[in-house]
Amino acid sequence: MTVAQPTYVNEKANRDLSMIPGSNGLPFIGQTFDFIDDNLGMTLANYKKYGPVFRMSLVFQNIVNTVGPEFLRQVSLDQAKVFSSQAGWEGMVGEFFQGSLIVQDFENHRMQRRLMQTAFKAESLHGYIHSINNIVQASLKQWPKQEPMLFYPAVKRLLLDIAAKVFLGAQLEEQNERINGAFVDFANGATSIVKKNWPGFAYHKGLKGRQVLDNFIRQRIDEKRQGDGTDMFSHFCREKNDTGDYYSHQEITDHVLFLLFAAHDTTTSALTMAMQLLAEHQDWQTELRDTIGRIETDIPTFDQLGRNIPLLDYTFKEVLRLYPPVPGLIRRTIKPCEIGGYEVPAHTMVGTSISANHHLPEYWHEPFKFDPMRFSESRAEHKQHKFLWAPFGGGGHKCIGLHFADMLFKSVLLNLLKTHRVQFADSKQASGKILYVPFTRPKDNLPLVLISER
Ligand code: HEM
């Protein structure tokens, strides 16, 4: 079913933000380079200088940015139906993610999100965990021990193998390298800063990768629909919309493509930053390993990976607090509204920060310190406001894969730490440079040594 574009998407963006305090930065590029270099530092500096609502200019867009959990609530819950995710994200990722959930609004979004319901139900998640554990354990066996390895590319590859199996079903294995290559090009293109479809540019290569993946997925829909597969793609193919019809080939393809992207780099970032923090904080790693060592199973279940290992849960939360893979949300107003006492016109880009909220000293004790126990029952710093700790966003577009990400993160950590201690390959690494764009990771790709223990 083709849905007509809402008219507000084609309206010209409002660029006059002179009523909002802040700075537009340099001509044309605005503050893009500062944002790429250290978006958290820049956002917190603006917050301190101008208050919780300020204007900024990024990649040719003028944006009203906001800091504070109340703004995250206003923008993500969007009770007044003012904020369009489609008009917000489309300029940045539109060509890559046309038709995906993130570029759908309101009623149409709700109808499209239904396509994913079965694949993310608890019983489906229970089913995926066995495959995940098996792939994690097989990869761990192959990773080098007692000698340096680059963790970031290794975990990226591991998560691609998991995505192939759990999202698409096993067929991918036959053509793994070609499809993996297309996926890497696709993800790089989608997050490239220079959005020009010119030969030689990442954007151009990315669109070609998209085409390869698109064909791969589309050709398998009918077969998946007839089968009884339990991978996510099979669930999508069998799902029906409000009128009782299957979703179209186009809709399924668009959703699978976005899902592969949304799941992969975010979780890779979270696991990489977790390893960096655990290598840096050996005392915490020892406590966590002791707890994990007491679990008497080689194949952890979904329930074991849930909240039942509190120290593992606090680690997950603290990693995502310090380094949220998605640092903020972006929307565009479809009608005039009020934000923090300012009248904001229709068609204005509005951002709301997740990463700055995770570092506000008015809520967090020593916000830059790695301190997983802040999430313990007795301290529960995150419970001061429902939208304070929000790495998965909130409201209608809240991450549909949050339980999957939680389970995947914990499966990798549990399997790895049960039998290994993690150390930096070089003691100077702890203060190494971190890249924030497109997703947070250490610039040196995190050289680690896995020491076999137990
Ligand atoms: C640590 C890992 C992850 C983080 C931090 C994360 C974060 C987010 C955030 C903040 C949003 C909301 C974006 C917005 O409102 O503009 C989002 C949406 C989404 N995420 Fe995740 N995500 C993660 C992993 C995953 C995984 C594993 C999947 C799938 C298996 C997934 C699928 C999606 C989808 C489909 C959406 C769009 C939902 C919608 O628009 O209705 N994500 N994610």
Side-chain angles (χ1 to χ4, degrees), residues 208-230:
K208 285 187 147 182
R210 188 191 198 283
Q211 196 53 53
V212 171
L213 296 173
D214 186 300
N215 291 340
F216 179 87
I217 294 163
R218 199 177 286 266
Q219 283 162 10
R220 284 160 175 80
I221 293 177
D222 292 332
E223 180 195 326
K224 288 271 177 188
R225 194 163 273 163
Q226 306 310 323
D228 57 2
T230 53

PDB file of all heavy atoms in Angstrom, residues 208-230:
ATOM      1  N   LYS A 208      24.470   1.954  -3.478  1.00  0.00           N
ATOM      2  CA  LYS A 208      24.656   0.707  -4.256  1.00  0.00           C
ATOM      3  C   LYS A 208      24.515  -0.505  -3.335  1.00  0.00           C
ATOM      4  O   LYS A 208      23.902  -1.503  -3.694  1.00  0.00           O
ATOM      5  CB  LYS A 208      26.038   0.692  -4.904  1.00  0.00           C
ATOM      6  CG  LYS A 208      26.125   1.609  -6.096  1.00  0.00           C
ATOM      7  CD  LYS A 208      27.427   1.415  -6.785  1.00  0.00           C
ATOM      8  CE  LYS A 208      27.254   1.639  -8.270  1.00  0.00           C
ATOM      9  NZ  LYS A 208      28.472   1.430  -9.001  1.00  0.00           N
ATOM     10  N   GLY A 209      25.111  -0.388  -2.138  1.00  0.00           N
ATOM     11  CA  GLY A 209      24.991  -1.469  -1.148  1.00  0.00           C
ATOM     12  C   GLY A 209      23.524  -1.695  -0.805  1.00  0.00           C
ATOM     13  O   GLY A 209      23.060  -2.829  -0.685  1.00  0.00           O
ATOM     14  N   ARG A 210      22.793  -0.584  -0.692  1.00  0.00           N
ATOM     15  CA  ARG A 210      21.369  -0.701  -0.366  1.00  0.00           C
ATOM     16  C   ARG A 210      20.637  -1.509  -1.432  1.00  0.00           C
ATOM     17  O   ARG A 210      19.781  -2.332  -1.133  1.00  0.00           O
ATOM     18  CB  ARG A 210      20.743   0.703  -0.241  1.00  0.00           C
ATOM     19  CG  ARG A 210      19.317   0.650   0.280  1.00  0.00           C
ATOM     20  CD  ARG A 210      18.588   1.968   0.157  1.00  0.00           C
ATOM     21  NE  ARG A 210      17.412   2.012   1.017  1.00  0.00           N
ATOM     22  CZ  ARG A 210      16.258   1.408   0.754  1.00  0.00           C
ATOM     23  NH1 ARG A 210      16.105   0.700  -0.341  1.00  0.00           N
ATOM     24  NH2 ARG A 210      15.247   1.497   1.605  1.00  0.00           N
ATOM     25  N   GLN A 211      21.000  -1.244  -2.687  1.00  0.00           N
ATOM     26  CA  GLN A 211      20.335  -1.943  -3.791  1.00  0.00           C
ATOM     27  C   GLN A 211      20.583  -3.460  -3.727  1.00  0.00           C
ATOM     28  O   GLN A 211      19.669  -4.261  -3.915  1.00  0.00           O
ATOM     29  CB  GLN A 211      20.847  -1.368  -5.129  1.00  0.00           C
ATOM     30  CG  GLN A 211      19.984  -1.732  -6.319  1.00  0.00           C
ATOM     31  CD  GLN A 211      18.509  -1.375  -6.092  1.00  0.00           C
ATOM     32  OE1 GLN A 211      18.190  -0.231  -5.753  1.00  0.00           O
ATOM     33  NE2 GLN A 211      17.621  -2.360  -6.216  1.00  0.00           N
ATOM     34  N   VAL A 212      21.828  -3.827  -3.396  1.00  0.00           N
ATOM     35  CA  VAL A 212      22.174  -5.259  -3.294  1.00  0.00           C
ATOM     36  C   VAL A 212      21.328  -5.909  -2.187  1.00  0.00           C
ATOM     37  O   VAL A 212      20.736  -6.979  -2.357  1.00  0.00           O
ATOM     38  CB  VAL A 212      23.688  -5.432  -2.980  1.00  0.00           C
ATOM     39  CG1 VAL A 212      24.021  -6.886  -2.659  1.00  0.00           C
ATOM     40  CG2 VAL A 212      24.535  -4.912  -4.136  1.00  0.00           C
ATOM     41  N   LEU A 213      21.262  -5.233  -1.043  1.00  0.00           N
ATOM     42  CA  LEU A 213      20.499  -5.784   0.090  1.00  0.00           C
ATOM     43  C   LEU A 213      19.006  -5.835  -0.236  1.00  0.00           C
ATOM     44  O   LEU A 213      18.307  -6.791   0.089  1.00  0.00           O
ATOM     45  CB  LEU A 213      20.717  -4.933   1.341  1.00  0.00           C
ATOM     46  CG  LEU A 213      22.145  -4.886   1.901  1.00  0.00           C
ATOM     47  CD1 LEU A 213      22.245  -3.873   3.033  1.00  0.00           C
ATOM     48  CD2 LEU A 213      22.580  -6.253   2.402  1.00  0.00           C
ATOM     49  N   ASP A 214      18.545  -4.776  -0.878  1.00  0.00           N
ATOM     50  CA  ASP A 214      17.139  -4.680  -1.255  1.00  0.00           C
ATOM     51  C   ASP A 214      16.753  -5.894  -2.119  1.00  0.00           C
ATOM     52  O   ASP A 214      15.756  -6.578  -1.845  1.00  0.00           O
ATOM     53  CB  ASP A 214      16.944  -3.352  -2.021  1.00  0.00           C
ATOM     54  CG  ASP A 214      15.488  -3.071  -2.330  1.00  0.00           C
ATOM     55  OD1 ASP A 214      14.877  -3.888  -3.017  1.00  0.00           O
ATOM     56  OD2 ASP A 214      14.964  -2.033  -1.875  1.00  0.00           O
ATOM     57  N   ASN A 215      17.584  -6.191  -3.135  1.00  0.00           N
ATOM     58  CA  ASN A 215      17.286  -7.334  -4.018  1.00  0.00           C
ATOM     59  C   ASN A 215      17.302  -8.635  -3.227  1.00  0.00           C
ATOM     60  O   ASN A 215      16.436  -9.494  -3.390  1.00  0.00           O
ATOM     61  CB  ASN A 215      18.330  -7.453  -5.136  1.00  0.00           C
ATOM     62  CG  ASN A 215      18.203  -6.308  -6.107  1.00  0.00           C
ATOM     63  OD1 ASN A 215      17.155  -5.659  -6.177  1.00  0.00           O
ATOM     64  ND2 ASN A 215      19.266  -6.034  -6.847  1.00  0.00           N
ATOM     65  N   PHE A 216      18.296  -8.763  -2.368  1.00  0.00           N
ATOM     66  CA  PHE A 216      18.461  -9.992  -1.585  1.00  0.00           C
ATOM     67  C   PHE A 216      17.200 -10.261  -0.747  1.00  0.00           C
ATOM     68  O   PHE A 216      16.686 -11.378  -0.710  1.00  0.00           O
ATOM     69  CB  PHE A 216      19.689  -9.855  -0.682  1.00  0.00           C
ATOM     70  CG  PHE A 216      19.927 -11.051   0.191  1.00  0.00           C
ATOM     71  CD1 PHE A 216      20.668 -12.128  -0.274  1.00  0.00           C
ATOM     72  CD2 PHE A 216      19.400 -11.113   1.466  1.00  0.00           C
ATOM     73  CE1 PHE A 216      20.885 -13.241   0.525  1.00  0.00           C
ATOM     74  CE2 PHE A 216      19.613 -12.221   2.279  1.00  0.00           C
ATOM     75  CZ  PHE A 216      20.349 -13.292   1.805  1.00  0.00           C
ATOM     76  N   ILE A 217      16.712  -9.216  -0.102  1.00  0.00           N
ATOM     77  CA  ILE A 217      15.554  -9.376   0.794  1.00  0.00           C
ATOM     78  C   ILE A 217      14.282  -9.635  -0.024  1.00  0.00           C
ATOM     79  O   ILE A 217      13.537 -10.585   0.212  1.00  0.00           O
ATOM     80  CB  ILE A 217      15.394  -8.127   1.686  1.00  0.00           C
ATOM     81  CG1 ILE A 217      16.594  -8.035   2.638  1.00  0.00           C
ATOM     82  CG2 ILE A 217      14.088  -8.145   2.465  1.00  0.00           C
ATOM     83  CD1 ILE A 217      16.772  -6.679   3.283  1.00  0.00           C
ATOM     84  N   ARG A 218      14.080  -8.771  -1.022  1.00  0.00           N
ATOM     85  CA  ARG A 218      12.850  -8.821  -1.806  1.00  0.00           C
ATOM     86  C   ARG A 218      12.621 -10.207  -2.437  1.00  0.00           C
ATOM     87  O   ARG A 218      11.518 -10.726  -2.442  1.00  0.00           O
ATOM     88  CB  ARG A 218      12.970  -7.759  -2.904  1.00  0.00           C
ATOM     89  CG  ARG A 218      11.697  -7.331  -3.542  1.00  0.00           C
ATOM     90  CD  ARG A 218      12.030  -6.237  -4.525  1.00  0.00           C
ATOM     91  NE  ARG A 218      12.349  -4.988  -3.832  1.00  0.00           N
ATOM     92  CZ  ARG A 218      11.456  -4.037  -3.590  1.00  0.00           C
ATOM     93  NH1 ARG A 218      10.212  -4.214  -3.975  1.00  0.00           N
ATOM     94  NH2 ARG A 218      11.803  -2.928  -2.981  1.00  0.00           N
ATOM     95  N   GLN A 219      13.738 -10.790  -2.934  1.00  0.00           N
ATOM     96  CA  GLN A 219      13.609 -12.086  -3.620  1.00  0.00           C
ATOM     97  C   GLN A 219      13.179 -13.214  -2.680  1.00  0.00           C
ATOM     98  O   GLN A 219      12.795 -14.282  -3.124  1.00  0.00           O
ATOM     99  CB  GLN A 219      14.961 -12.496  -4.219  1.00  0.00           C
ATOM    100  CG  GLN A 219      15.308 -11.756  -5.485  1.00  0.00           C
ATOM    101  CD  GLN A 219      16.791 -11.851  -5.783  1.00  0.00           C
ATOM    102  OE1 GLN A 219      17.518 -12.610  -5.146  1.00  0.00           O
ATOM    103  NE2 GLN A 219      17.246 -11.073  -6.753  1.00  0.00           N
ATOM    104  N   ARG A 220      13.314 -13.017  -1.391  1.00  0.00           N
ATOM    105  CA  ARG A 220      13.042 -14.118  -0.463  1.00  0.00           C
ATOM    106  C   ARG A 220      11.687 -13.998   0.251  1.00  0.00           C
ATOM    107  O   ARG A 220      11.334 -14.850   1.052  1.00  0.00           O
ATOM    108  CB  ARG A 220      14.159 -14.184   0.580  1.00  0.00           C
ATOM    109  CG  ARG A 220      15.402 -14.802  -0.009  1.00  0.00           C
ATOM    110  CD  ARG A 220      16.653 -14.495   0.752  1.00  0.00           C
ATOM    111  NE  ARG A 220      17.784 -15.227   0.168  1.00  0.00           N
ATOM    112  CZ  ARG A 220      18.444 -14.852  -0.926  1.00  0.00           C
ATOM    113  NH1 ARG A 220      18.091 -13.743  -1.570  1.00  0.00           N
ATOM    114  NH2 ARG A 220      19.446 -15.570  -1.409  1.00  0.00           N
ATOM    115  N   ILE A 221      10.947 -12.921  -0.041  1.00  0.00           N
ATOM    116  CA  ILE A 221       9.723 -12.673   0.742  1.00  0.00           C
ATOM    117  C   ILE A 221       8.677 -13.787   0.567  1.00  0.00           C
ATOM    118  O   ILE A 221       8.149 -14.317   1.543  1.00  0.00           O
ATOM    119  CB  ILE A 221       9.132 -11.278   0.426  1.00  0.00           C
ATOM    120  CG1 ILE A 221      10.105 -10.210   0.930  1.00  0.00           C
ATOM    121  CG2 ILE A 221       7.748 -11.107   1.057  1.00  0.00           C
ATOM    122  CD1 ILE A 221       9.714  -8.780   0.631  1.00  0.00           C
ATOM    123  N   ASP A 222       8.427 -14.184  -0.687  1.00  0.00           N
ATOM    124  CA  ASP A 222       7.366 -15.179  -0.912  1.00  0.00           C
ATOM    125  C   ASP A 222       7.687 -16.492  -0.221  1.00  0.00           C
ATOM    126  O   ASP A 222       6.841 -17.098   0.436  1.00  0.00           O
ATOM    127  CB  ASP A 222       7.152 -15.402  -2.409  1.00  0.00           C
ATOM    128  CG  ASP A 222       6.557 -14.161  -3.063  1.00  0.00           C
ATOM    129  OD1 ASP A 222       5.857 -13.409  -2.338  1.00  0.00           O
ATOM    130  OD2 ASP A 222       6.828 -13.912  -4.253  1.00  0.00           O
ATOM    131  N   GLU A 223       8.944 -16.890  -0.352  1.00  0.00           N
ATOM    132  CA  GLU A 223       9.389 -18.145   0.264  1.00  0.00           C
ATOM    133  C   GLU A 223       9.252 -18.083   1.800  1.00  0.00           C
ATOM    134  O   GLU A 223       8.751 -18.999   2.442  1.00  0.00           O
ATOM    135  CB  GLU A 223      10.854 -18.329  -0.141  1.00  0.00           C
ATOM    136  CG  GLU A 223      11.538 -19.545   0.359  1.00  0.00           C
ATOM    137  CD  GLU A 223      13.069 -19.383   0.187  1.00  0.00           C
ATOM    138  OE1 GLU A 223      13.504 -18.751  -0.805  1.00  0.00           O
ATOM    139  OE2 GLU A 223      13.792 -19.865   1.088  1.00  0.00           O
ATOM    140  N   LYS A 224       9.642 -16.947   2.352  1.00  0.00           N
ATOM    141  CA  LYS A 224       9.551 -16.785   3.815  1.00  0.00           C
ATOM    142  C   LYS A 224       8.094 -16.824   4.282  1.00  0.00           C
ATOM    143  O   LYS A 224       7.764 -17.346   5.330  1.00  0.00           O
ATOM    144  CB  LYS A 224      10.144 -15.429   4.228  1.00  0.00           C
ATOM    145  CG  LYS A 224      11.643 -15.370   4.109  1.00  0.00           C
ATOM    146  CD  LYS A 224      12.269 -15.832   5.394  1.00  0.00           C
ATOM    147  CE  LYS A 224      13.752 -15.859   5.314  1.00  0.00           C
ATOM    148  NZ  LYS A 224      14.370 -16.475   6.482  1.00  0.00           N
ATOM    149  N   ARG A 225       7.239 -16.226   3.462  1.00  0.00           N
ATOM    150  CA  ARG A 225       5.813 -16.154   3.820  1.00  0.00           C
ATOM    151  C   ARG A 225       5.201 -17.551   3.903  1.00  0.00           C
ATOM    152  O   ARG A 225       4.367 -17.823   4.769  1.00  0.00           O
ATOM    153  CB  ARG A 225       5.101 -15.303   2.758  1.00  0.00           C
ATOM    154  CG  ARG A 225       3.756 -14.864   3.150  1.00  0.00           C
ATOM    155  CD  ARG A 225       3.275 -13.722   2.273  1.00  0.00           C
ATOM    156  NE  ARG A 225       3.691 -12.426   2.757  1.00  0.00           N
ATOM    157  CZ  ARG A 225       3.695 -11.309   2.033  1.00  0.00           C
ATOM    158  NH1 ARG A 225       3.339 -11.338   0.767  1.00  0.00           N
ATOM    159  NH2 ARG A 225       4.072 -10.163   2.565  1.00  0.00           N
ATOM    160  N   GLN A 226       5.649 -18.425   3.005  1.00  0.00           N
ATOM    161  CA  GLN A 226       5.112 -19.804   3.000  1.00  0.00           C
ATOM    162  C   GLN A 226       5.712 -20.661   4.119  1.00  0.00           C
ATOM    163  O   GLN A 226       5.119 -21.631   4.551  1.00  0.00           O
ATOM    164  CB  GLN A 226       5.431 -20.522   1.670  1.00  0.00           C
ATOM    165  CG  GLN A 226       4.992 -19.798   0.402  1.00  0.00           C
ATOM    166  CD  GLN A 226       3.549 -19.344   0.467  1.00  0.00           C
ATOM    167  OE1 GLN A 226       2.697 -20.044   1.007  1.00  0.00           O
ATOM    168  NE2 GLN A 226       3.271 -18.153  -0.051  1.00  0.00           N
ATOM    169  N   GLY A 227       6.904 -20.317   4.554  1.00  0.00           N
ATOM    170  CA  GLY A 227       7.630 -21.172   5.505  1.00  0.00           C
ATOM    171  C   GLY A 227       7.204 -20.957   6.949  1.00  0.00           C
ATOM    172  O   GLY A 227       6.275 -20.199   7.245  1.00  0.00           O
ATOM    173  N   ASP A 228       7.891 -21.649   7.850  1.00  0.00           N
ATOM    174  CA  ASP A 228       7.569 -21.492   9.276  1.00  0.00           C
ATOM    175  C   ASP A 228       8.798 -20.988  10.052  1.00  0.00           C
ATOM    176  O   ASP A 228       9.000 -21.315  11.209  1.00  0.00           O
ATOM    177  CB  ASP A 228       7.045 -22.812   9.870  1.00  0.00           C
ATOM    178  CG  ASP A 228       8.045 -23.941   9.669  1.00  0.00           C
ATOM    179  OD1 ASP A 228       9.134 -23.673   9.103  1.00  0.00           O
ATOM    180  OD2 ASP A 228       7.754 -25.077  10.080  1.00  0.00           O
ATOM    181  N   GLY A 229       9.632 -20.188   9.375  1.00  0.00           N
ATOM    182  CA  GLY A 229      10.865 -19.669   9.987  1.00  0.00           C
ATOM    183  C   GLY A 229      10.576 -18.831  11.229  1.00  0.00           C
ATOM    184  O   GLY A 229       9.505 -18.224  11.357  1.00  0.00           O
ATOM    185  N   THR A 230      11.535 -18.818  12.141  1.00  0.00           N
ATOM    186  CA  THR A 230      11.343 -18.042  13.377  1.00  0.00           C
ATOM    187  C   THR A 230      12.265 -16.824  13.411  1.00  0.00           C
ATOM    188  O   THR A 230      12.363 -16.153  14.422  1.00  0.00           O
ATOM    189  CB  THR A 230      11.622 -18.919  14.620  1.00  0.00           C
ATOM    190  OG1 THR A 230      12.910 -19.500  14.457  1.00  0.00           O
ATOM    191  CG2 THR A 230      10.576 -20.001  14.796  1.00  0.00           C
TER     192      THR A 230
END
